[in-house]
Amino acid sequence: MSRIENESKLDMPIGVFDSGVGGLTVVREIMRQIPNERIVYFGDTARVPYGSKSKETVTRYSRQIVRFLQTMHVKAIVVACNTASAYALDELEKEIDIPVIGVVKPGAKVAADATRNGRIGVIATAATIGSGVYTTYIRQIKSDVDVIGKACPLFVPLVEEGLWQDPVTDEIAMRYLSELIDIDIDTLILGCTHYPLIRSTVGKIMGDHVTLVNPAYETARELKELLMEKGLFNPVPPSLGTNKYQFFVSDGAQQFIHFANSIIKYGILSAKVVNIEDY
Ligand code: DGL
């Protein structure tokens, strides 16, 4: 590859997707850790939530999004959704020829390192919990750990409605988390990319002795390593005139922009609606 070809390849964006706004918690971390990288984000706001859907459906949605992202000439893809990582990542890895990473493995690694008493809780969608994927990855790292999963299906709609700090969210969180308090976990994985947005509510209920793990930090760190290893890491800011960050959704662009601006301090002015069923 010539130097010019290689430089333009480095300038290509990273594709990031989720069922809605949750993946922006991962985008925020990517922007912080690897600020020269361009990003194309897709939030499947028309079809959220993924967590109550079947593996076949989530895999079909994920394939459509990947096809869309490839039309945007992305150089790597981050599946910033635990549900899609649990259900579709293996298939996507086989089908596409650019690097793709999910959020589950990085989160499992941090939690396995963090636990002292060998009791890790995972809160996530019903799909992620049902897949057992966190237990599998954690036990590959530390075989003698207990992993206790709790599906919290109402958290995603509460977050998508913007009820991040609200008595309704406190009440629901109390109901979901009380059984995890009773069994003395010392580490809790926020196993859905929407949940960091209600981190303070979860932290208040669980108490200071429980370490909350947000897989986003480790995902961005692993993404950086992967880009470096593949010769795709951009060491300089993108060329002038290029669109650094672009946002796409399948519905409700205005509401998305409103929430996105409270998650990312970058100043998102526009989000385009894509008919994702066309892909
Ligand atoms: N944010 C997603 C996750 O990490 C999906 C939530 C949903 O759509 O149910 O699992």
Side-chain angles (χ1 to χ4, degrees):
M1 202 187 304
S2 73
R3 190 176 59 81
I4 295 188
E5 266 174 317
N6 194 41
E7 276 173 10
S8 64
K9 190 150 197 195
L10 301 186
D11 232 9
M12 285 159 70
I14 294 161
V16 183
F17 77 90
D18 178 45
S19 60
V21 296
L24 293 171
T25 60
V26 180
V27 164
R28 174 169 74 183
E29 210 38 59
I30 298 173
M31 288 172 164
R32 213 175 58 77
Q33 292 190 36
I34 39 178
N36 292 328
E37 299 296 342
R38 295 172 57 212
I39 296 171
V40 175
Y41 182 83
F42 182 83
D44 201 356
T45 46
R47 305 189 292 194
V48 64
Y50 280 11
S52 52
K53 299 195 169 72
S54 66
K55 181 173 165 84
E56 291 65 37
T57 301
V58 173
T59 305
R60 182 168 71 82
Y61 289 174
S62 302
R63 282 200 180 105
Q64 287 176 322
I65 298 168
V66 164
R67 282 197 283 269
F68 162 70
L69 290 173
Q70 289 192 297
T71 67
M72 302 301 291
H73 307 290
V74 295
K75 63 182 176 184
I77 291 180
V78 179
V79 182
C81 171
N82 289 261
T83 308
S85 300
Y87 274 169
L89 184 62
D90 289 350
E91 297 301 315
L92 298 177
E93 271 171 345
K94 280 185 233 151
E95 291 166 7
I96 58 178
D97 57 4
I98 55 172
V100 49
I101 68 165
V103 284
V104 174
K105 262 191 202 170
K109 186 169 171 280
V110 177
D113 286 347
T115 187
R116 294 286 159 259
N117 73 358
R119 294 178 77 74
I120 299 174
V122 183
I123 51 172
T125 64
T128 303
I129 297 300
S131 75
V133 69
Y134 270 105
T135 312
T136 308
Y137 288 139
I138 290 170
R139 293 246 174 89
Q140 279 171 8
I141 305 167
K142 262 192 192 168
S143 55
D144 57 341
V145 164
D146 281 335
V147 183
I148 305 99
K150 175 72 188 163
C152 305
L154 290 173
F155 279 171
V156 168
L158 288 169
V159 168
E160 291 278 333
E161 284 300 318
L163 299 170
W164 302 351
Q165 277 178 331
D166 190 278
V168 175
T169 307
D170 292 346
E171 168 68 28
I172 303 284
M174 198 59 212
R175 289 196 197 192
Y176 283 146
L177 301 173
S178 55
E179 71 187 67
L180 293 175
I181 296 172
D182 293 344
I183 52 180
D184 188 34
I185 55 165
D186 72 349
T187 305
L188 179 64
I189 302 176
L190 305 176
C192 170
T193 51
H194 283 70
Y195 298 178
L197 300 170
I198 51 167
R199 185 188 180 116
S200 63
T201 304
V202 174
K204 216 167 43 197
I205 295 172
M206 295 309 297
D208 287 346
H209 61 290
V210 175
T211 306
L212 299 187
V213 173
N214 172 4
Y217 177 85
E218 184 64 18
T219 303
R221 208 189 60 75
E222 287 189 18
L223 171 67
K224 181 178 180 183
E225 262 175 25
L226 185 68
L227 293 175
M228 289 176 111
E229 186 188 302
K230 304 273 180 204
L232 293 171
F233 177 72
N234 197 356
V236 292
S239 353
L240 276 182
T242 46
N243 241 337
K244 191 165 182 192
Y245 301 131
Q246 289 173 278
F247 299 87
F248 297 88
V249 289
S250 44
D251 202 1
Q254 280 316 315
Q255 182 168 354
F256 175 86
I257 293 168
H258 173 73
F259 286 155
N261 280 319
S262 24
I263 300 169
I264 292 173
K265 302 293 172 230
Y266 160 75
I268 297 161
L269 301 177
S270 72
K272 291 197 189 97
V273 175
V274 169
N275 186 358
I276 199 65
E277 293 288 0
D278 288 348
Y279 289 86

